[in-house]
Structure formats: structure tokens, C-alpha cells
């Protein structure tokens, strides 16, 4: 009897567990891809228009992933592996998932003394590390106009990343000492525009919560083995009981007896 109670309790627990799993996935927020349709859309370090918060210009025709509303003017966004902010008026949310949302660009350093990776696009900014002579395929996120290091050079800086002391560091490289610039071409992917207010509170529709059909299949798949176990648990007891009764009847039939008549004894 204890075994029967145990298996019934286990069955109920397993039966209810898929609903708990689906609730965890359904709590994830929905995200949207937004396309950059101009040459002046900045990726920001914070949701502020103050000087120094603009990190770089996002390459036109590519996308950012919108994560949430930061305030009335900014979205919290992701570009490649960077998290930051974009102005709402600078991007166009779209109903679709691009195959190549981010520009794949890179460059090489040809300065024989290497090139400093700076925290700001300025001459006296903090040095974060050094890009080595002839270092190639340095990931390029975007460009920004900064300080001209010397007369008649350039004011363009590359926002890029490099490994410094085993850690990935992002900063600015003075573009004058860079060549083999591999800039991504135009991204022609386009989807229907979303004109209404974005609702980031909705559960993600793809790969997130479990649908009712999937829930039913999971419950059925889990239930059947449990029912089989319960059947096998109960069936042997019943068979033993039946077999025992059969043996008793057989033994009764096997006995022979003779009924005497009292007149025969006289």
C-alpha cells in the first residue's frame, strides 16, 4: 500500500512539473530589431546627450537589438557584444529577425611603434592598451569624430576591441595609422516597420514559453510510463491472489470420500 501511495505522489509531481518550467521561460521579455537608416545614429554609453556619452556611429543599413525602454527618448540596446543605448528617433523598429544584423568590419595597424588604445577619442585620454605593429583583423564597431592628433592628419577614430592582459577591452584607435580597412557592405534586409509603441513586457514568441499543444504532449509522454508502472505494481498482487484461489479449489477436488448409510452397518 505504501508503494502505491508513493508512485501516485510521484506521478502527480511529474505531471505538474512541465507547467513550472513553462512559467520560467514565459517570463523572458520580448526584444525587437531596429534598422539604422541614416549616417548619424550614435551608440551611447548612457541614456544622455551630454558630451562624451556617444561611443560611435552605427553603420547605416544595419541593426541594433532593442532590449527595453530606458526613458522617453532612449532604448536600452545591444550592438554585437556591446550593451548601450540608442535614441528612439534614430532607429526604425521592424517586425523580423535579420540574418546579419551587425556589420562585420575590421582593420590593421601599420604604426611601427604600435598604436595606443584610448578611453576617449582624444590625445590626452587614458591609455587602455596597445595595438601591435601589423596587428590584423581588429574588430571595428564604428567611427566617431574626435580630436585631431596633429595638423593635417584626421579627426576620425575607430571604436574597436582588443585583448589586453587576457581581457577584452574596447576603446579608440587613431585611424591615421590604420589600413587594410574591411568595411561591411550595405545590408539590404528589410521588414515591415512597427509603428506602434513597443511592448517589452510580452513573453518572447519564439523559443520562450511552451504552447498548449507542447504542454499536452509532454504531459501525455510523462503520464503513460507512470500509468504502466502503477499497472505493473498492482497486477502481480491480483495474479497471485487468483493463482492461490485456484490451487485451493484443485486440492478440494482431489479428495475422495465415501458416504456410509447407517442401514449398511446393521
Amino acid at each position: 500500500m505504501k508503494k502505491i501511495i508513493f508512485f501516485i505522489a510521484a506521478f502527480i509531481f511529474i505531471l505538474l512539473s512541465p507547467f513550472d518550467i513553462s512559467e520560467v521561460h514565459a517570463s523572458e521579455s520580448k526584444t525587437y530589431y531596429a534598422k539604422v537608416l541614416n549616417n548619424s545614429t550614435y551608440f551611447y554609453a548612457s541614456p544622455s546627450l551630454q558630451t562624451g556619452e556617444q561611443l560611435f556611429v552605427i553603420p547605416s543599413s544595419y541593426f541594433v537589438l532593442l532590449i527595453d525602454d530606458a526613458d522617453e527618448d532612449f532604448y536600452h540596446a545591444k550592438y554585437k557584444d556591446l550593451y548601450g543605448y540608442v535614441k528612439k528617433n534614430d532607429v526604425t523598429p521592424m517586425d523580423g529577425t535579420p540574418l546579419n544584423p551587425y556589420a562585420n568590419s575590421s582593420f590593421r595597424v601599420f604604426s611601427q611603434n604600435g598604436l595606443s588604445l584610448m578611453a576617449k577619442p582624444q590625445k590626452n585620454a587614458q591609455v587602455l592598451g596597445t595595438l601591435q605593429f601589423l596587428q590584423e583583423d581588429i574588430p571595428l564597431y564604428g567611427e566617431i569624430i574626435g580630436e585631431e592628433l596633429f595638423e593635417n592628419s584626421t579627426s576620425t577614430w575607430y571604436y574597436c576591441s582588443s585583448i589586453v592582459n587576457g581581457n577584452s577591452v574596447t576603446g579608440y584607435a587613431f585611424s591615421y595609422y590604420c589600413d587594410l580597412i574591411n568595411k561591411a557592405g550595405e545590408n539590404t534586409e528589410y521588414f515591415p516597420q512597427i509603428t506602434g509603441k513597443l511592448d517589452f513586457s510580452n513573453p518572447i514568441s519564439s523559443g520562450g514559453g511552451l504552447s498548449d499543444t507542447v504542454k499536452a504532449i509532454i504531459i501525455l509522454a510523462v503520464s503513460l510510463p507512470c500509468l504502466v508502472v502503477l499497472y505493473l505494481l498492482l497486477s502481480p498482487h491480483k495474479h497471485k491472489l487468483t493463482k492461490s484461489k485456484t490451487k485451493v479449489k484443485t486440492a478440494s477436488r482431489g479428495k475422495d470420500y465415501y458416504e456410509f448409510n447407517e442401514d449398511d452397518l446393521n
Side-chain angles (χ1 to χ4, degrees):
M1 186 64 183
K2 291 183 178 179
K3 290 184 177 180
I4 297 175
I5 296 174
F6 171 78
F7 276 103
I8 292 176
F11 170 71
I12 295 173
F13 174 77
I14 296 173
L15 187 65
L16 295 178
S17 61
F19 292 100
D20 298 333
I21 294 172
S22 66
E23 289 300 323
V24 172
H25 286 287
S27 65
E28 297 179 19
S29 297
K30 183 174 178 60
T31 56
Y32 302 85
Y33 278 99
K35 193 174 181 70
V36 175
L37 297 176
N38 58 65
N39 294 314
S40 58
T41 297
Y42 286 92
F43 196 72
Y44 291 78
S46 68
S48 171
L49 297 176
Q50 293 183 359
T51 303
E53 297 305 310
Q54 299 171 338
L55 294 177
F56 58 89
V57 175
I58 302 171
S60 178
S61 79
Y62 284 88
F63 294 80
V64 291
L65 182 65
L66 306 181
I67 300 173
D68 202 352
D69 285 311
D71 54 31
E72 293 182 358
D73 300 318
F74 284 87
Y75 288 120
H76 184 205
K78 179 183 179 183
Y79 183 77
K80 291 189 174 181
D81 58 340
L82 300 178
Y83 289 89
Y85 302 87
V86 291
K87 288 183 63 178
K88 292 182 177 181
N89 293 336
D90 287 344
V91 295
T92 303
M94 293 189 170
D95 186 13
T97 302
L99 296 176
N100 300 295
Y102 312 121
N104 185 19
S105 304
S106 62
F107 64 92
R108 182 186 73 167
V109 171
F110 66 82
S111 172
Q112 292 186 353
N113 296 323
L115 184 61
S116 296
L117 186 66
M118 314 293 284
K120 299 287 185 181
Q122 302 167 0
K123 181 185 350 184
N124 297 322
Q126 177 187 359
V127 177
L128 303 175
T130 301
L131 303 175
Q132 302 302 317
F133 174 51
L134 298 183
Q135 182 175 338
E136 297 182 353
D137 299 324
I138 301 171
L140 171 61
Y141 294 99
E143 304 176 3
I144 195 169
I145 299 300
E147 183 179 357
E148 188 177 14
L149 290 189
F150 52 89
E151 189 176 357
N152 297 325
S153 56
T154 182
S155 58
T156 300
W157 294 70
Y158 293 154
Y159 193 76
C160 61
S161 66
S162 184
I163 302 299
V164 178
N165 297 325
N167 298 316
S168 179
V169 176
T170 55
Y172 296 92
F174 188 50
S175 67
Y176 186 84
Y177 296 109
C178 304
D179 65 356
L180 298 184
I181 302 166
N182 177 26
K183 291 188 177 181
E186 181 182 2
N187 187 326
T188 58
E189 296 177 277
Y190 203 87
F191 306 95
Q193 296 183 16
I194 301 175
T195 55
K197 180 177 175 59
L198 304 184
D199 186 359
F200 295 96
S201 64
N202 284 342
I204 56 178
S205 58
S206 177
L210 299 176
S211 65
D212 292 337
T213 302
V214 175
K215 290 177 183 177
I217 293 173
I218 292 176
I219 293 172
L220 182 61
V222 173
S223 301
L224 288 178
C226 292
L227 293 175
V228 171
V229 170
L230 288 174
Y231 175 78
L232 294 176
L233 183 65
L234 295 172
S235 295
H237 179 69
K238 184 177 180 182
H239 291 326
K240 287 179 181 178
L241 200 59
T242 304
K243 189 175 181 181
S244 176
K245 289 180 179 179
T246 303
K247 286 182 178 180
V248 171
K249 288 181 180 180
T250 303
S252 298
R253 291 198 192 104
K255 291 182 179 180
D256 294 328
Y257 64 92
Y258 184 82
E259 190 173 316
F260 291 93
N261 192 321
E262 292 181 1
D263 296 334
D264 294 339
L265 297 176
N266 296 328

